[in-house]
């Protein structure tokens, strides 16, 4: 069976690998380079830390387990960094954090309290002022180097026969009556397939997706600041009152202001992003004093745009009344991608996945 996957981000790369492993003939098409969409501008924390309700929490916890399983199946997983996560909150948020930890413990999710002294052992360079209250430790969490993940999965897929075509924008979804039969790319090539999968992330609600082919998104934005690790020497994922932060590979630390701290959207110019980055650097210097000496040319700030469905939950499944077409679009796609790829492959092989029932595309089309 021939399958076209549109989009070579975390989701498309995971699908390509899993479907190829299962024996399908896969063509992956991307308008740009592989991995350069939202997956390149993500905090990429694998977690199920604050993802209500319980069914969605469990989906993400299974996503974390799927990362571990994939690492074993793949034989090596240099992209997977299971560092654990430390969290503390401003006084006004400390009760909410206590409630969250209690809820996570009731789900048997690894979540415990540690002392400020223990935190200091984990992160010796950090400066705390004593107002952080209780500190949460989430040992099963970590982060993914999305570029390594995508590159290595696509390399392995190509070695098994998948066709990976980058710089090839899909301009039209081809339909014969109520059946999708393939796509047309910008160079005029017609690619025919029994199944076409929309894994285009934040572009999945725009042309070439028309009518019931399109998703319903309400994207939000975030700022990612990459600084030399010598200024912010961290060993774990840290969730702090103003920002999240984690190591980002050799010699680099990633800082990400928390959602809602700054009011930005897709139209915010880079000059404004740079101003806001300078502000967060100033605030982060209270915790990492060495940052006070950093110069603007030593760090880089970028905007990331979330592929956020209107109700916040994944959109996964076929579209009723439209044969040969399937959608896989979600936020938290770094955490979820190996699991979704496995469940979607199972569905395409003929066995519906009960875990995906709450996330079918038609729920957003009601009314
Ligand atoms: C600031 C921020 C922080 C985040 N933090 C986390 C986190 O901590 N943990 C987590 O799990 N998730 C996080 N996410 C979400 C996560 O990054 C995304 O869910 C995930 O990267 C989406 O992957 P994707 O493959 O769906 O999309 P993308 O990586 O955007 O890939 C889609 C691809 O489709 C291609 N494409 C689009 N249109 C076409 C077309 N017409 N023809 C051909 N190709 C096309 C694009 O070129 C692109 O390469 C975060 C996101 C942001 C923005």
């Amino acid at each position: 069976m021939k399958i076209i996957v549109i989009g070579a981000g975390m989701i498309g790369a995971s699908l390509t690998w899993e479907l190829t492993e299962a024996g399908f003939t896969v063509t992956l098409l991307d308008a740009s380079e592989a991995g350069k969409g939202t997956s390149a501008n993500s905090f990429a924390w694998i977690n199920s830390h604050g993802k209500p309700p319980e069914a969605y929490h469990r989906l993400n916890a299974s996503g974390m387990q799927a990362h571990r399983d994939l690492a074993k199946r793949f034989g090596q997983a240099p992209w997977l960094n299971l560092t654990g996560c430390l969290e503390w909150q401003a006084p006004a948020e400390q009760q909410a954090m206590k409630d969250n930890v209690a809820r996570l413990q009731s789900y048997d999710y690894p979540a415990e309290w540690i002392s400020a002294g223990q935190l200091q052992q984990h992160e010796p360079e950090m400066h705390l002022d004593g107002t952080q209250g209780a500190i949460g430790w989430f040992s099963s969490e970590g982060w993914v180097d999305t570029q390594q993940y995508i590159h290595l999965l696509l390399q392995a897929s190509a070695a098994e026969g998948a066709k990976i075509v980058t710089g090839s924008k899909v301009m039209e979804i081809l339909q014969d009556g109520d059946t999708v039969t393939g796509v047309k790319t910008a160079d005029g090539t017609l690619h025919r397939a029994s199944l076409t999968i929309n894994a285009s992330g934040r572009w999945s609600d725009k042309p070439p997706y028309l009518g019931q082919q399109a998703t319903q998104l309400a994207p939000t934005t975030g700022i990612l600041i990459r600084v030399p690790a010598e200024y912010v020497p961290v060993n774990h994922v840290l969730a702090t009152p103003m920002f999240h932060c984690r190591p980002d590979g050799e010699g680099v630390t990633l800082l990400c202001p928390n959602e809602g701290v700054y009011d930005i959207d897709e139209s915010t110019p880079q000059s404004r992003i740079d101003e806001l980055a300078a502000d967060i650097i100033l605030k982060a210097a209270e915790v990492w004093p060495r940052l006070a000496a950093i110069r603007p040319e030593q760090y880089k700030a970028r905007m990331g745009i979330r592929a956020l469905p209107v109700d916040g939950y994944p959109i996964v499944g076929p579209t009723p009344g439209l044969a040969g077409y399937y959608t896989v679009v979600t936020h938290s796609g770094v955490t979820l991608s190996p699991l979704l790829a496995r469940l979607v492959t199972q569905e395409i092989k003929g066995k519906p996945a009960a875990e995906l029932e709450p996330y079918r595309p038609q729920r957003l089309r009601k009314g």
Side-chain angles (χ1 to χ4, degrees):
M1 177 177 172
K2 278 192 182 175
I3 300 179
I4 291 169
V5 177
I6 310 171
M10 283 297 293
I11 298 289
S14 306
L15 284 166
T16 299
W17 188 75
E18 198 70 59
L19 289 165
T20 303
E21 283 283 293
F24 294 105
T25 304
V26 182
T27 299
L28 172 67
L29 300 167
D30 197 288
S32 173
E33 287 173 59
K36 298 303 176 200
T38 300
S39 300
N41 296 303
S42 172
F43 190 65
W45 170 23
I46 54 166
N47 76 94
S48 189
H49 194 108
K51 303 198 181 183
E54 185 175 348
Y56 188 54
H57 163 82
R58 295 210 180 276
L59 191 78
N60 280 270
S62 299
M64 295 165 68
Q65 183 55 44
H67 269 286
R68 291 176 158 82
D69 295 344
L70 177 68
K72 278 196 204 125
R73 285 167 63 200
F74 210 78
Q76 47 141 355
W79 59 76
L80 186 61
N81 303 279
L82 296 173
T83 55
C85 167
L86 294 151
E87 178 189 12
W88 65 98
Q89 288 294 346
E93 302 301 325
Q94 286 175 9
Q95 186 56 49
M97 183 182 159
K98 281 182 186 156
D99 295 344
N100 189 41
V101 167
R103 189 165 41 244
L104 292 173
Q105 287 171 338
S106 77
Y107 296 157
D108 289 326
Y109 184 85
E112 56 189 289
W113 297 110
I114 61 167
S115 66
Q118 285 169 303
L119 169 60
Q120 209 70 76
Q121 279 170 4
H122 281 299
E123 296 291 353
E125 303 280 342
M126 237 176 52
H127 174 82
L128 293 173
D129 63 6
T131 58
Q132 72 282 342
I135 295 150
W137 167 237
F138 308 89
S139 60
S140 62
E141 300 178 1
W143 63 277
V144 166
D145 183 325
T146 59
Q147 301 303 292
Q148 280 196 52
Y149 178 100
I150 290 167
H151 176 73
L152 289 171
L153 258 66
L154 292 186
Q155 203 176 49
S157 305
E160 304 256 330
K163 197 168 157 195
I164 319 286
V165 192
T166 53
S168 185
K169 184 170 183 177
V170 172
M171 304 301 285
E172 191 181 338
I173 308 296
L174 303 173
Q175 261 186 248
D176 182 3
D178 289 337
T179 301
V180 169
T181 58
V183 303
K184 184 178 179 182
T185 47
D187 62 358
T189 306
L190 301 183
H191 298 264
R192 300 282 178 189
S194 312
L195 185 68
T196 296
I197 305 182
N198 176 355
S200 303
R202 71 180 182 91
W203 293 274
S204 62
D205 61 344
K206 300 176 174 56
Y209 305 106
L210 301 173
Q212 53 181 348
Q213 299 161 358
T215 59
Q216 292 74 33
L217 302 183
T220 61
T221 53
I223 301 175
L224 292 308
I225 311 166
R226 289 189 161 84
V227 301
E230 66 202 75
Y231 290 94
V232 187
V234 295
N235 304 313
H236 305 85
V237 176
L238 303 185
T240 86
M242 283 294 295
F243 51 84
H244 287 53
C245 122
R246 64 163 174 80
D248 192 37
E250 207 57 34
V252 181
T253 294
L254 183 65
L255 288 173
C256 181
N258 295 348
E259 248 183 298
V261 170
Y262 298 118
D263 187 19
I264 57 167
D265 61 30
E266 289 182 54
S267 68
T268 305
Q270 183 62 39
S271 55
R272 179 70 184 140
I273 300 294
D274 290 340
E275 276 173 23
L276 298 175
D279 184 60
I280 202 80
I281 291 276
L282 211 62
K283 291 186 168 107
E286 290 168 19
V287 186
W288 285 280
R290 283 192 219 165
L291 264 182
I294 199 168
R295 295 187 308 277
E297 64 272 21
Q298 289 178 284
Y299 60 85
K300 214 176 188 67
R302 299 192 60 176
M303 184 196 291
I305 301 171
R306 297 181 179 85
L308 191 68
V310 284
D311 65 356
Y313 296 104
I315 306 176
V316 185
T319 297
L322 189 62
Y325 188 72
Y326 199 102
T327 301
V328 190
V329 173
T330 187
H331 180 54
S332 288
V334 177
T335 303
L336 291 171
S337 47
L339 175 71
L340 292 181
R342 202 171 73 200
L343 295 175
V344 168
T345 301
Q346 171 192 318
E347 294 211 315
I348 294 170
K349 284 165 78 180
K351 189 168 170 230
E355 301 94 313
L356 297 179
E357 274 317 311
Y359 309 113
R360 298 307 187 191
Q362 57 268 33
R363 78 179 187 279
L364 300 174
R365 296 210 172 86
K366 281 179 193 145

